[in-house]
């Protein structure tokens, strides 16, 4: 791995550490998303406190901070492995942000953004899997976990050279959802529909 790639990974981590959920909630005069609802600074929890439009903006920004450094890395001629490490660094920044006491989100949107530039087929497969599981179950967490389990196989089919680093990203996502997995097992996880019905 080149010295430039290492510094670029650090940049991706620092970019990923910018929590749009926390910053936009502050600008909107809302509670810190880490102190309300699920305590997760992500779009799903912002939906509870700030409504649909603020949550959508958080979602878009979280996707972009994963997508942009990986996309730019293609033009900077990084190797496949280095690009995968950049994607992992951006997700680590979101999950363990330097600027916010290393208490971040689950990393789903950022991981989607970071993995999407690999191939349109991978991006479509991820999105399709998440939507299918979500429409059947109503659980965003279950959709994320099942998608994370399947993404390495999608990547292996479309761009096998990225399989290992993408698998690391997916392991991170599953780890970050361990509490959700326990609640799903106990039947205590909230469905997304209930979040739409709650008023800020």
């Amino acid at each position: 791995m080149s010295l430039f790639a290492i510094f670029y990974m650090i940049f991706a981590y620092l970019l990923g550490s910018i929590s749009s959920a926390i910053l936009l909630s502050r600008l909107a005069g809302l509670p810190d998303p880490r102190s309300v609802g699920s305590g997760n600074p992500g779009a799903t929890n912002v939906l509870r406190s700030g409504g649909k439009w603020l949550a959508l903006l958080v979602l878009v920004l979280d996707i972009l901070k994963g997508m942009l450094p990986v996309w730019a890395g293609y033009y900077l001629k990084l190797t496949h492995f280095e690009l995968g490490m950049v994607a992992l660094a951006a997700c680590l920044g979101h999950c363990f942000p330097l600027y916010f006491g290393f208490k971040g989100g689950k990393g789903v949107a950022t991981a989607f953004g970071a993995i999407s530039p690999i191939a349109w087929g991978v991006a479509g497969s991820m999105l399709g899997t998440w939507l299918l599981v979500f429409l059947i179950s109503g659980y965003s967490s279950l959709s994320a976990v099942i998608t994370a389990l399947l993404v390495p196989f999608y990547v292996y089919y479309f761009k096998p050279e990225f399989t290992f680093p993408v698998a690391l990203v997916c392991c991170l996502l599953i780890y970050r959802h361990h509490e959700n997995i326990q609640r799903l097992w106990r039947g205590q996880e909230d469905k997304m529909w209930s979040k739409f019905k709650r008023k800020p």
Side-chain angles (χ1 to χ4, degrees):
M1 183 178 291
S2 68
L3 183 61
F4 173 77
I6 293 173
F7 280 108
Y8 194 70
M9 285 175 57
I10 295 173
F11 164 75
Y13 168 79
L14 294 175
L15 181 63
S17 291
I18 301 173
S19 177
S20 57
I22 297 174
L23 294 176
L24 289 176
S25 292
R26 288 179 182 175
L27 289 173
L30 298 170
D32 189 319
R34 294 172 297 178
S35 65
V36 296
S38 66
N40 177 55
T44 302
N45 200 30
V46 171
L47 183 63
R48 291 186 175 102
S49 60
K52 301 173 186 177
W53 293 110
L54 189 64
L56 179 61
L57 182 57
V58 169
L59 177 66
V60 171
L61 292 175
D62 283 351
I63 290 174
L64 287 176
K65 71 181 182 183
M67 180 180 292
L68 293 178
V70 176
W71 217 322
Y74 275 102
Y75 295 98
L76 294 172
K77 307 300 182 182
L78 297 182
T79 66
H80 295 139
F81 178 76
E82 290 169 346
L83 284 171
M85 291 298 101
V86 168
L88 179 61
C91 294
L92 284 171
H94 180 84
C95 296
F96 308 102
L98 177 66
Y99 317 122
F100 300 100
F102 302 101
K103 296 179 180 179
K106 301 294 175 63
V108 176
T110 303
F112 174 77
I115 296 172
S116 292
I118 291 175
W120 289 113
V122 174
S125 298
M126 286 192 297
L127 184 59
T129 301
W130 192 96
L131 286 173
L132 179 62
V133 178
F134 175 71
L135 290 173
I136 292 173
S137 69
Y139 294 109
S140 60
S141 56
L142 181 63
S143 303
V145 170
I146 291 179
T147 302
L149 289 170
L150 294 177
V151 164
F153 296 99
Y154 300 149
V155 174
Y156 182 77
Y157 178 80
F158 288 102
K159 290 289 184 72
E161 60 271 24
F162 288 101
T163 303
F164 176 70
V166 167
L168 293 179
V169 173
C170 292
C171 288
L172 175 64
L173 290 183
I174 293 171
Y175 166 73
R176 293 294 289 169
H177 281 81
H178 68 277
E179 292 180 355
N180 302 85
I181 293 171
Q182 293 175 21
R183 287 196 296 270
L184 284 166
W185 182 259
R186 295 193 298 262
Q188 298 172 344
E189 183 77 339
D190 288 336
K191 292 190 175 184
M192 179 68 82
W193 317 123
S194 63
K195 298 181 179 71
F196 277 101
K197 294 175 183 178
R198 294 173 186 170
K199 296 181 180 180

